[in-house]
Amino acid sequence: LPLLLNAEGLKSLLKHAQENNELVVSQKYTEQSKQKELDSANSNYYPTVDAGIFYQRDDDASPFRPGTTYGASVKVGFDIYDGGKKSYTSKQKNSEHTSAMFSYSDTKKSIALAITQDFYNIKSLEASLEAREESSKALKAQLERMLKFYDLKLATNDDIDRLQSAYDSNVFAIDSLKFEILSLKSALELKVGRNIDSLDDSKFKKTLSQQSDELDSIQALRANKTALTNLSETVDSFYYPNIRIEDTYSLYGYQDEPSIGGTPIEQLDNQNTIMATLNMRLIDFGVIGEQKAAIALQADALNEQIKYKSKEQKMQLSLATRRIETVNLNIKSSQSALKSATSALETITKKYNAGIIDNVVYLDALSSHTQAKAFNEKSINDLEIAYAMYYYYNSKNIEEFIK
């Protein structure tokens, strides 16, 4: 009862993972970092304002200059034309931020799918464990019964050895299953970011009428390719002239002012300077050209990845639908097999207890029933995984489809 009350639902696990999984949090910080870079690029459109102070002392000052000069200045600068550097840089950072957002979303969806697979695989293993434990109880009861017969000289060593061997093998299988559950549960806890006691019977909505969207991972690649295109334009802008205007206002103060005949020589108290500059790259011996070629190759590499990922998504969507159909058939088959194995075990157990058949037939029937029961539960859980993969490859948030 406590395990049932504390059972974890898949939806709550996915929600917790999206807020606490380290890989998801890392992508979130990356997205926020790209947003700051975009904000910085957009701020480049505004004028710059610089302020400074200075202090100058000459040990051997000229007769007409003061020995000590100090002052402060304020400079306002603005790029009138930069060949498009700021514009393309802003577009590049915007595309990089878009890519980071898609990568963040893709990481959340990928982690959600991995958690879902672990969730239902654990439930399948737990079903196998339960079947094995039931089988172990039956084997132990039959072994104890056979030992009593042996004491009465109604059973042979061979009868005892067969049951003991089957029981010991089952104990080993149980221990192996417990280790598999522990390993998978540890991996699930790592992805979720917290300890997990037990799992509930979460189910997905069963619908195949979803409109397919492009995977976030592919959209992230497309955004990165766009960023490279804008980076190429930024590099190309270095061939264009850069026109900048600056206005500097300065204040001056003096000590040890020079004088002629007792009359101080007048010095500047303030000065306003306006300067316009034009810079243009004339020769760089192919530096810019090589940079553009390198960027173009990077864009080509991304384009090939996009082609591959698009084909892969199309393939996985086709397989996802086919997988659901196959698992549904598997469930029908496993239910029939379980029904048959249950009926056969009941009949054979009665005959075995009556001494009509030997323990070989009984052990075979018990083994078939154990496998059928575990396989049926696994088929049911495989269907949930199949639908989760279908929603994932349609680029949906799978937690929205949990009942």
Side-chain angles (χ1 to χ4, degrees), residues 163-175:
L163 286 171
Q164 186 65 57
S165 175
Y167 179 77
D168 291 342
S169 297
N170 205 58
V171 168
F172 172 74
I174 288 174
D175 191 65

Side-chain angles (χ1 to χ4, degrees), residues 121-122 124-133 169-185 370 374:
N121 284 331
I122 289 174
S124 294
L125 289 173
E126 288 176 341
S128 296
L129 178 61
E130 182 181 354
R132 283 286 181 179
E133 288 175 339
S169 297
N170 205 58
V171 168
F172 172 74
I174 288 174
D175 191 65
S176 297
L177 283 170
K178 286 181 178 179
F179 178 74
E180 287 186 63
I181 292 171
L182 176 62
S183 300
L184 204 52
K185 189 177 179 183
T370 301

Side-chain angles (χ1 to χ4, degrees), residues 92 224-236 287-303:
Q92 175 196 344
N224 268 332
K225 182 183 175 184
T226 302
L228 287 175
T229 301
N230 289 313
L231 176 59
S232 178
E233 295 295 340
T234 301
V235 171
D236 198 42
V287 172
I288 299 298
E290 293 297 333
Q291 288 180 355
K292 285 195 65 177
I295 294 170
L297 288 172
Q298 292 178 45
D300 290 341
L302 284 177
N303 193 52

